[in-house]
Short mmCIF file of all heavy atoms in Angstrom, two decimals:
data_model
loop_
_atom_site.label_atom_id
_atom_site.label_comp_id
_atom_site.label_asym_id
_atom_site.label_seq_id
_atom_site.Cartn_x
_atom_site.Cartn_y
_atom_site.Cartn_z
N SER A 356 -8.75 -12.22 -4.25
CA SER A 356 -8.19 -13.00 -5.35
C SER A 356 -8.72 -12.37 -6.64
O SER A 356 -9.93 -12.25 -6.85
CB SER A 356 -8.66 -14.45 -5.17
OG SER A 356 -8.65 -15.10 -6.39
N TYR A 357 -7.79 -11.94 -7.48
CA TYR A 357 -8.18 -11.16 -8.66
C TYR A 357 -8.59 -12.08 -9.81
O TYR A 357 -7.85 -12.98 -10.19
CB TYR A 357 -6.99 -10.29 -9.09
CG TYR A 357 -7.22 -9.50 -10.36
CD1 TYR A 357 -8.40 -8.78 -10.56
CD2 TYR A 357 -6.26 -9.48 -11.36
CE1 TYR A 357 -8.61 -8.07 -11.73
CE2 TYR A 357 -6.46 -8.76 -12.53
CZ TYR A 357 -7.64 -8.06 -12.71
OH TYR A 357 -7.86 -7.36 -13.86
N PHE A 358 -9.77 -11.82 -10.34
CA PHE A 358 -10.18 -12.53 -11.54
C PHE A 358 -9.85 -11.64 -12.74
O PHE A 358 -10.48 -10.61 -12.95
CB PHE A 358 -11.67 -12.87 -11.50
CG PHE A 358 -12.15 -13.50 -12.78
CD1 PHE A 358 -11.58 -14.68 -13.24
CD2 PHE A 358 -13.15 -12.91 -13.54
CE1 PHE A 358 -11.99 -15.26 -14.44
CE2 PHE A 358 -13.58 -13.48 -14.75
CZ PHE A 358 -12.99 -14.66 -15.19
N ASP A 359 -8.83 -12.05 -13.47
CA ASP A 359 -8.34 -11.23 -14.59
C ASP A 359 -9.26 -11.41 -15.79
O ASP A 359 -9.34 -12.49 -16.37
CB ASP A 359 -6.90 -11.66 -14.92
CG ASP A 359 -6.27 -10.75 -15.97
OD1 ASP A 359 -6.98 -9.87 -16.50
OD2 ASP A 359 -5.06 -10.91 -16.22
N LYS A 360 -9.91 -10.32 -16.17
CA LYS A 360 -10.85 -10.40 -17.30
C LYS A 360 -10.17 -10.02 -18.61
O LYS A 360 -10.84 -9.81 -19.62
CB LYS A 360 -12.04 -9.48 -17.04
CG LYS A 360 -12.85 -9.92 -15.86
CD LYS A 360 -14.07 -9.04 -15.68
CE LYS A 360 -14.95 -9.59 -14.57
NZ LYS A 360 -15.96 -8.66 -14.15
N GLY A 361 -8.85 -9.89 -18.59
CA GLY A 361 -8.13 -9.57 -19.82
C GLY A 361 -7.82 -8.09 -19.93
O GLY A 361 -8.17 -7.30 -19.06
N SER A 362 -7.14 -7.74 -21.02
CA SER A 362 -6.76 -6.33 -21.24
C SER A 362 -7.01 -5.96 -22.68
O SER A 362 -6.96 -6.81 -23.57
CB SER A 362 -5.26 -6.11 -20.98
OG SER A 362 -4.77 -7.01 -20.08
N MET A 363 -7.23 -4.68 -22.88
CA MET A 363 -7.52 -4.19 -24.23
C MET A 363 -6.89 -2.83 -24.43
O MET A 363 -6.73 -2.07 -23.49
CB MET A 363 -9.02 -3.99 -24.41
CG MET A 363 -9.81 -5.25 -24.37
SD MET A 363 -11.52 -4.86 -24.67
CE MET A 363 -11.99 -6.34 -25.54
N ALA A 364 -6.58 -2.54 -25.68
CA ALA A 364 -6.19 -1.16 -26.04
C ALA A 364 -6.65 -0.92 -27.46
O ALA A 364 -6.51 -1.79 -28.32
CB ALA A 364 -4.68 -0.99 -25.93
N THR A 365 -7.25 0.25 -27.66
CA THR A 365 -7.68 0.56 -29.02
C THR A 365 -6.61 1.42 -29.69
O THR A 365 -5.93 2.19 -29.03
CB THR A 365 -9.05 1.27 -29.01
OG1 THR A 365 -9.35 1.67 -30.32
CG2 THR A 365 -9.07 2.48 -28.13
N ILE A 366 -6.48 1.25 -30.98
CA ILE A 366 -5.41 1.97 -31.68
C ILE A 366 -6.01 3.04 -32.58
O ILE A 366 -5.44 4.09 -32.80
CB ILE A 366 -4.55 0.98 -32.49
CG1 ILE A 366 -3.92 0.00 -31.52
CG2 ILE A 366 -3.48 1.69 -33.31
CD1 ILE A 366 -3.74 -1.36 -32.05
N GLY A 367 -7.20 2.77 -33.07
CA GLY A 367 -7.87 3.73 -33.93
C GLY A 367 -9.20 3.13 -34.32
O GLY A 367 -9.62 2.11 -33.77
N ARG A 368 -9.85 3.78 -35.25
CA ARG A 368 -11.16 3.27 -35.67
C ARG A 368 -10.99 1.88 -36.27
O ARG A 368 -10.13 1.66 -37.13
CB ARG A 368 -11.76 4.22 -36.70
CG ARG A 368 -13.13 3.81 -37.11
CD ARG A 368 -13.87 4.98 -37.61
NE ARG A 368 -13.81 5.04 -39.05
CZ ARG A 368 -14.64 5.77 -39.79
NH1 ARG A 368 -15.57 6.48 -39.21
NH2 ARG A 368 -14.55 5.79 -41.07
N SER A 369 -11.78 0.95 -35.81
CA SER A 369 -11.78 -0.45 -36.28
C SER A 369 -10.51 -1.20 -35.94
O SER A 369 -10.21 -2.21 -36.57
CB SER A 369 -11.98 -0.52 -37.80
OG SER A 369 -13.07 0.24 -38.19
N SER A 370 -9.76 -0.72 -34.99
CA SER A 370 -8.50 -1.39 -34.68
C SER A 370 -8.22 -1.39 -33.19
O SER A 370 -8.23 -0.33 -32.55
CB SER A 370 -7.38 -0.69 -35.44
OG SER A 370 -6.16 -1.21 -35.04
N ALA A 371 -8.00 -2.58 -32.65
CA ALA A 371 -7.67 -2.70 -31.23
C ALA A 371 -6.90 -3.99 -31.03
O ALA A 371 -6.82 -4.83 -31.94
CB ALA A 371 -8.94 -2.69 -30.38
N VAL A 372 -6.33 -4.14 -29.85
CA VAL A 372 -5.73 -5.43 -29.49
C VAL A 372 -6.32 -5.84 -28.15
O VAL A 372 -6.65 -4.99 -27.32
CB VAL A 372 -4.19 -5.35 -29.39
CG1 VAL A 372 -3.56 -5.19 -30.76
CG2 VAL A 372 -3.73 -4.24 -28.46
N ALA A 373 -6.46 -7.15 -27.95
CA ALA A 373 -7.09 -7.61 -26.71
C ALA A 373 -6.53 -8.96 -26.30
O ALA A 373 -6.24 -9.82 -27.14
CB ALA A 373 -8.61 -7.72 -26.90
N VAL A 374 -6.37 -9.13 -24.98
CA VAL A 374 -6.04 -10.44 -24.42
C VAL A 374 -7.24 -10.85 -23.59
O VAL A 374 -7.64 -10.14 -22.68
CB VAL A 374 -4.81 -10.39 -23.50
CG1 VAL A 374 -4.37 -11.79 -23.11
CG2 VAL A 374 -3.68 -9.62 -24.12
N MET A 375 -7.84 -11.96 -23.94
CA MET A 375 -9.05 -12.41 -23.25
C MET A 375 -8.67 -13.29 -22.05
O MET A 375 -7.53 -13.79 -21.99
CB MET A 375 -9.93 -13.22 -24.22
CG MET A 375 -10.20 -12.52 -25.53
SD MET A 375 -10.97 -10.92 -25.29
CE MET A 375 -12.63 -11.41 -24.96
N PRO A 376 -9.63 -13.53 -21.14
CA PRO A 376 -9.34 -14.46 -20.04
C PRO A 376 -8.92 -15.81 -20.64
O PRO A 376 -9.50 -16.26 -21.62
CB PRO A 376 -10.69 -14.60 -19.31
CG PRO A 376 -11.49 -13.43 -19.73
CD PRO A 376 -11.01 -13.01 -21.08
N GLY A 377 -7.91 -16.41 -20.08
CA GLY A 377 -7.42 -17.67 -20.63
C GLY A 377 -6.31 -17.47 -21.65
O GLY A 377 -5.74 -18.42 -22.16
N GLY A 378 -6.01 -16.22 -21.97
CA GLY A 378 -4.86 -15.93 -22.83
C GLY A 378 -5.16 -15.80 -24.31
O GLY A 378 -4.26 -15.51 -25.10
N LEU A 379 -6.41 -16.02 -24.72
CA LEU A 379 -6.75 -15.86 -26.14
C LEU A 379 -6.49 -14.41 -26.57
O LEU A 379 -6.86 -13.48 -25.87
CB LEU A 379 -8.24 -16.20 -26.33
CG LEU A 379 -8.79 -15.99 -27.75
CD1 LEU A 379 -8.26 -17.06 -28.70
CD2 LEU A 379 -10.32 -15.99 -27.73
N THR A 380 -5.84 -14.25 -27.73
CA THR A 380 -5.57 -12.88 -28.18
C THR A 380 -6.41 -12.53 -29.40
O THR A 380 -6.70 -13.38 -30.24
CB THR A 380 -4.07 -12.70 -28.54
OG1 THR A 380 -3.74 -13.61 -29.57
CG2 THR A 380 -3.18 -12.90 -27.35
N LEU A 381 -6.80 -11.27 -29.47
CA LEU A 381 -7.59 -10.77 -30.61
C LEU A 381 -6.97 -9.48 -31.09
O LEU A 381 -6.35 -8.74 -30.31
CB LEU A 381 -9.03 -10.47 -30.17
CG LEU A 381 -9.93 -11.60 -29.70
CD1 LEU A 381 -11.24 -11.03 -29.21
CD2 LEU A 381 -10.16 -12.61 -30.82
N SER A 382 -7.16 -9.20 -32.38
CA SER A 382 -6.71 -7.89 -32.86
C SER A 382 -7.64 -7.45 -33.99
O SER A 382 -8.46 -8.23 -34.47
CB SER A 382 -5.26 -7.96 -33.33
OG SER A 382 -5.14 -8.90 -34.36
N GLY A 383 -7.46 -6.20 -34.40
CA GLY A 383 -8.24 -5.67 -35.53
C GLY A 383 -9.69 -5.39 -35.17
O GLY A 383 -10.03 -4.98 -34.07
#
Side-chain angles (χ1 to χ4, degrees):
S356 156
Y357 176 47
F358 175 58
D359 187 354
K360 295 183 174 168
S362 333
M363 294 183 147
T365 174
I366 299 147
R368 184 156 96 162
S369 310
S370 173
V372 289
V374 189
M375 309 303 282
L379 176 72
T380 60
L381 296 175
S382 59

